[in-house]
Amino acid sequence: PFSAASPSAEAVRTREPIWIESAEEYPTERGTLQESLAFATPHAHVSIPLALKGHLVGAMSLSFEGTRSFSDE
């Protein structure tokens, strides 16, 4: 659901990409997501909202093994 504490749900709610360079970087106020990421090796994650003709249709998420730096490019 869009109310979930997940990067994809947050991308949908805010209509902004979510860039996480490592699990430790994710703010603790997002609570349950921090806890759910703790089971895996720290990784980077990107969630991007998807829209079609101005209507939000979902989000695309990618996870990367290990930490990763994202540039503005």
Side-chain angles (χ1 to χ4, degrees):
F2 294 142
S3 60
S6 73
S8 297
E10 185 171 344
V12 168
R13 283 192 304 271
T14 64
R15 295 181 178 239
E16 294 288 331
I18 304 299
W19 306 92
I20 303 170
E21 294 184 348
S22 73
E24 291 84 13
E25 182 181 278
Y26 210 75
T28 55
E29 65 264 12
R30 293 184 175 109
T32 57
L33 177 61
Q34 181 72 19
E35 293 165 10
S36 68
L37 289 175
F39 75 91
T41 304
H43 62 275
H45 184 91
V46 177
S47 289
I48 301 169
L50 301 175
L52 180 62
K53 296 182 179 180
H55 293 81
L56 198 59
V57 295
M60 175 181 69
S61 295
L62 302 170
S63 291
F64 304 90
E65 187 175 329
T67 61
R68 177 172 285 234
S69 295
F70 298 107
S71 70
D72 291 338
E73 298 176 5

